[in-house]
Amino acid sequence: MTQNWDIIIVGGGLAGYVAANYLAKTNLNILILEKGKSVGGRARTKKVNQQYFNLGPHALYRKGKAKPILEELGIHICGKSPKLGGILIENNIEYVAPFSPLQLFTTRLFHTKERREWIAVLFKLMSIKPENLAQQTYQQWVMQVAHSKIVKSLLYTLGRLATYCHAPEKMSAKVTVSSIKKAMGGVLYLDGGWMTMIGQLHHRAIRSGIHVQPHTFVKNIEPTQQNQIKLDLSDGREILGKNVLCTTGPHELNDMLSKKMAFPQRNFFTQMIPVRGATLDVALKQLPKQKRLFAMDTTKPLYYSVHSGYARLSEDPMNAILHVFKYHHPDEHIDSTITKNELELFLDKLQPGWQQYVISKRFIPNITVNQRLPQIGNERMLQSSKTGFPGLYIAGDWASPDSILADGAICSGKQAAEEIILNEKRKNHANNE
Ligand SMILES: Cc1cc2nc3c(=O)[nH]c(=O)nc-3n(C[C@H](O)[C@H](O)[C@H](O)COP(=O)(O)OP(=O)(O)OC[C@H]3O[C@@H](n4cnc5c(N)ncnc54)[C@H](O)[C@@H]3O)c2cc1C
């Protein structure tokens, strides 16, 4: 059976659903194909007993680009912002994190000179224009602005926190600094998890007449002689689209595209390095140490946060949902057992005796957080969602020139929808002349 669609969206994550919701305003017939049993991609939330587990720690930037786009689409975002601060662990010793003005002056992390240097760096971060850092790596920028060891490691820690990337020698200073500035504007932990966003986007799409087909893997994409694009599906069907928007990762995209689909960026897509990490997601009956809600290690790439300290993530308010996370370096060999042990030991240090309160836990040793480690010059190749192959568009957290993570996914989804709409209008106009 062959079906014809105006637009086929491959991938039912944030990018795919945001694009679908903008495209819903047209009278084009639209299909979303998702290989997973359920939709949501990496923004999905699993309900385990009474607890809502995001796929690792998820926080939405309050001052990011995603929030206004979601609001423009009528999506309600309910959640709370964690307080600034918490614990910083430097060489196994705990300190007050110097993120709020009071903590900055009281923490014993610094000597006087380092404290002055940190304040100067924070002012620099607030006033700097990230566009001016387009030709530098984050490490180069850190070496320029910081002198003491502790201020440098604090900047690397902030960089990891804001981007999930743990490769300062490779990542773009522009994207990292711009993400840190966004993070300084605060984040939101969402009540009910990130699936609440996907749920609303999905229902709006369905109400607008968009078809969603989960459990369908797109095996191959190739052009037809009638200027359409043919998709081979895992259930044996072939379907045709005038436009195809691909929101999978760049390597998955490359695997799907037939050799006949040549375009200039294709090689660039295959060279992208994913940003990866390990996550230990834990639900506890209660926290052994109630006040310990956030910590980061400055010497090791480790993160801990109790998201239920702010967001409603369990039907029992006594329960705690927390995430312990390790940022992987792209060249690192990952040993699952060692990594799990490392995360559990980190949690032991922060919440001694946590094991006796466990309701459920999930460990994922190597998960892709963002499909592209942002590097110098990437933005030049990602100005448009058009691929150079007629009718084939891209979106996803790797496809936005200046943003990564959910901001990148959501911005690129909107941009792709706008470019498809414009192109359709041009085609209609040309046909009517
Ligand atoms: C541990 C972790 C922590 C994170 N924390 C944050 C955070 O704090 N803040 C933040 O902003 N972002 C965070 N993110 C990133 C955020 O979740 C992603 O950037 C965002 O969800 C990506 O959306 P997307 O639509 O681009 O991709 P995805 O969600 O990956 O969607 C792509 C979809 O395409 C489907 N697909 C792939 N190949 C095919 C095929 N051949 N056929 C059919 N379907 C296919 C996939 O199944 C998937 O559902 C985090 C991610 C992880 C993993």
Side-chain angles (χ1 to χ4, degrees), residues 10-16 33-36 40-43 55-59 164 194 216-218 247-248 252 256 325 367-370 396-397 405-407 409:
V10 185
L14 281 173
L33 295 171
E34 166 55 51
K35 73 174 178 186
R42 280 167 287 151
L55 206 49
H58 270 79
Y164 284 82
W194 276 38
T216 310
F217 180 75
V218 177
T247 72
T248 69
E252 289 161 313
M256 279 186 292
F325 189 84
I367 186 167
T368 298
V369 177
N370 199 77
D397 58 9
L405 302 168
D407 270 8

Side-chain angles (χ1 to χ4, degrees), residues 9-18 32-44 54-61 66 161-164 187-189 194 197-198 213-221 231-234 246-249 252-253 255-256 275-279 281 303 307 323 325 364 367-371 395-399 404-410 412-413:
I9 299 174
V10 185
L14 281 173
Y17 270 108
V18 164
I32 300 179
L33 295 171
E34 166 55 51
K35 73 174 178 186
K37 269 193 228 144
S38 53
V39 296
R42 280 167 287 151
R44 65 187 184 271
N54 283 326
L55 206 49
H58 270 79
L60 192 72
Y61 290 129
L161 178 65
T163 64
Y164 284 82
V187 295
L188 283 172
Y189 294 164
W194 276 38
M197 295 192 286
I198 291 288
Q213 201 173 304
H215 223 242
T216 310
F217 180 75
V218 177
K219 292 199 295 190
N220 188 52
I221 301 182
L231 279 70
D232 293 331
L233 309 184
S234 51
C246 195
T247 72
T248 69
E252 289 161 313
L253 169 65
D255 292 344
M256 279 186 292
V275 175
R276 294 213 166 107
T279 185
D281 307 328
Y303 160 105
H307 284 220
H323 302 278
F325 189 84
I364 307 174
I367 186 167
T368 298
V369 177
N370 199 77
Q371 296 277 10
D397 58 9
W398 54 281
I404 54 170
L405 302 168
D407 270 8
I410 287 173
S412 64

Side-chain angles (χ1 to χ4, degrees), residues 170-300:
K170 294 187 202 288
M171 62 212 237
S172 135
K174 178 183 161 187
V175 176
T176 312
V177 168
S178 126
S179 302
I180 293 176
K181 283 166 82 86
K182 273 193 263 180
M184 286 163 90
V187 295
L188 283 172
Y189 294 164
L190 302 190
D191 292 338
W194 276 38
M195 199 60 195
T196 54
M197 295 192 286
I198 291 288
Q200 293 177 67
L201 287 163
H202 174 77
H203 286 119
R204 282 173 174 264
I206 296 285
R207 274 206 302 273
S208 315
I210 292 174
H211 295 252
V212 179
Q213 201 173 304
H215 223 242
T216 310
F217 180 75
V218 177
K219 292 199 295 190
N220 188 52
I221 301 182
E222 65 179 53
T224 69
Q225 284 172 348
Q226 291 75 38
N227 291 331
Q228 286 191 305
I229 300 179
K230 178 168 79 74
L231 279 70
D232 293 331
L233 309 184
S234 51
D235 58 13
R237 281 186 304 146
E238 290 178 358
I239 56 170
L240 296 172
K242 285 190 203 150
N243 302 285
V244 173
L245 169 60
C246 195
T247 72
T248 69
H251 297 279
E252 289 161 313
L253 169 65
N254 190 50
D255 292 344
M256 279 186 292
L257 293 183
S258 86
K259 293 213 170 65
K260 291 179 213 157
M261 297 179 97
F263 53 88
Q265 308 108 299
R266 192 163 167 181
N267 202 23
F268 163 67
F269 292 171
T270 58
Q271 286 161 7
M272 281 181 192
I273 305 171
V275 175
R276 294 213 166 107
T279 185
L280 176 65
D281 307 328
V282 184
L284 299 180
K285 284 190 205 107
Q286 64 178 76
L287 282 178
K289 289 193 177 265
Q290 301 277 333
K291 290 194 176 152
R292 298 183 150 217
L293 297 181
F294 180 84
M296 288 201 69
D297 199 310
T298 57
T299 28
K300 295 178 200 146

Side-chain angles (χ1 to χ4, degrees), residues 278-343:
T279 185
L280 176 65
D281 307 328
V282 184
L284 299 180
K285 284 190 205 107
Q286 64 178 76
L287 282 178
K289 289 193 177 265
Q290 301 277 333
K291 290 194 176 152
R292 298 183 150 217
L293 297 181
F294 180 84
M296 288 201 69
D297 199 310
T298 57
T299 28
K300 295 178 200 146
L302 298 173
Y303 160 105
Y304 151 93
S305 182
V306 182
H307 284 220
S308 62
Y310 302 94
R312 201 182 46 74
L313 288 165
S314 170
E315 275 153 31
D316 181 343
M318 281 304 288
N319 296 168
I321 313 298
L322 62 89
H323 302 278
V324 191
F325 189 84
K326 181 176 184 195
Y327 307 87
H328 290 322
H329 187 278
D331 302 337
E332 187 178 339
H333 165 75
I334 292 134
D335 180 311
S336 169
T337 315
I338 294 175
T339 309
K340 187 171 182 217
N341 203 22
E342 212 176 343
L343 292 182

Side-chain angles (χ1 to χ4, degrees), residues 6-47:
D6 292 318
I7 302 161
I8 300 171
I9 299 174
V10 185
L14 281 173
Y17 270 108
V18 164
N21 274 260
Y22 278 100
L23 289 162
K25 294 169 188 158
T26 65
N27 57 3
L28 301 165
N29 67 341
I30 304 165
L31 171 69
I32 300 179
L33 295 171
E34 166 55 51
K35 73 174 178 186
K37 269 193 228 144
S38 53
V39 296
R42 280 167 287 151
R44 65 187 184 271
T45 307
K46 191 170 177 196
K47 192 165 181 215

